[in-house]
Amino acid sequence: MRPWQRLNRWLQNVPVEDPLDRRNAPMLQVVLAVPGVLVPAMLALELAQMPGFGAVQAISLALTAFLWSCFWLLRRGRFRLAASLAVVASLVMMGLNYQSYGLKSQLGLQVTHLLPLLFAGLLLGRGAIWRTLAAIGVILMLGAWVDLAGAGDAVAERHEVAANLLSAGLGFVVVAAILDRLVSASRRAIRR
């Protein structure tokens, strides 16, 4: 048996009852393992070039530990807990970015900011889509608030912040509605 086949078989060998969760378990393990390996590798390279340990390096280690904890939970059959924690962690990181840099600076990254919404829907179901969308709405408003704080009294800048918030929010709502329909159809198809 080839190494990739052995790895695939090992990834599929997870004690998960739900058929859809069992199908998604290998993908979630890869999604957790890739940054779980890359983050410490990048940290090691960084430390080799510039020795010194600070807050950023501590956060990298904490993120690595978190990713491998989720991986461990999944390997023990706790698929929903691992997936939920991964979605929540990605929302927290997203929120920290919006709090630090505002909404406007994040507009170009919104394709990647769809990931928590996509993972919530594909891994956790329809209810998780809407809970995640609500959290993203709060995050977008936080980013808009940061932008407003920096806008001063300029009316044009305030209008731009409102337009950015509306545009970003509507984009996430449209994706959530489409994802809701896809998740509903896929769950029905698997139950047949």
Side-chain angles (χ1 to χ4, degrees), residues 124-141:
L124 298 168
R126 295 174 68 199
I129 294 169
W130 301 106
R131 288 187 298 274
T132 303
L133 181 64
I136 289 172
V138 170
I139 291 168
L140 292 175
M141 287 188 278

Side-chain angles (χ1 to χ4, degrees), residues 66-122:
F66 178 81
L67 291 165
W68 286 113
S69 297
C70 290
F71 189 92
W72 181 83
L73 286 168
L74 179 52
R75 294 296 304 166
R76 299 298 174 272
R78 305 292 309 268
F79 177 87
R80 294 215 161 260
L81 179 58
S84 297
L85 288 172
V87 169
V88 168
S90 61
L91 288 169
V92 167
M93 289 188 299
M94 188 174 147
L96 291 172
N97 279 332
Y98 277 76
Q99 178 191 9
S100 297
Y101 305 110
L103 172 64
K104 184 177 181 177
S105 68
Q106 302 295 314
L107 293 176
L109 300 172
Q110 287 191 342
V111 169
T112 59
H113 294 168
L114 287 172
L115 291 176
L117 187 62
L118 296 172
F119 284 143
L122 295 173

Side-chain angles (χ1 to χ4, degrees), residues 13-179:
N13 187 22
V14 178
V16 175
E17 298 289 324
D18 183 75
L20 187 57
D21 291 350
R22 196 169 34 256
R23 279 187 181 177
N24 287 328
M27 180 268 304
L28 181 56
Q29 289 172 87
V30 170
V31 165
L32 293 169
V34 168
V37 170
L38 290 179
V39 169
M42 291 184 325
L43 176 60
L45 287 173
E46 178 186 330
L47 290 174
Q49 292 175 349
M50 297 183 322
F53 201 83
V56 172
Q57 292 78 15
I59 290 169
S60 294
L61 285 179
L63 176 61
T64 300
F66 178 81
L67 291 165
W68 286 113
S69 297
C70 290
F71 189 92
W72 181 83
L73 286 168
L74 179 52
R75 294 296 304 166
R76 299 298 174 272
R78 305 292 309 268
F79 177 87
R80 294 215 161 260
L81 179 58
S84 297
L85 288 172
V87 169
V88 168
S90 61
L91 288 169
V92 167
M93 289 188 299
M94 188 174 147
L96 291 172
N97 279 332
Y98 277 76
Q99 178 191 9
S100 297
Y101 305 110
L103 172 64
K104 184 177 181 177
S105 68
Q106 302 295 314
L107 293 176
L109 300 172
Q110 287 191 342
V111 169
T112 59
H113 294 168
L114 287 172
L115 291 176
L117 187 62
L118 296 172
F119 284 143
L122 295 173
L123 301 175
L124 298 168
R126 295 174 68 199
I129 294 169
W130 301 106
R131 288 187 298 274
T132 303
L133 181 64
I136 289 172
V138 170
I139 291 168
L140 292 175
M141 287 188 278
L142 174 64
W145 180 73
V146 169
D147 288 350
L148 283 173
D153 293 331
V155 175
E157 289 181 31
R158 291 180 176 275
H159 286 296
E160 181 184 9
V161 171
N164 288 342
L165 179 60
L166 183 62
S167 173
L170 285 176
F172 281 106
V173 168
V174 167
V175 170
I178 292 168
L179 186 58

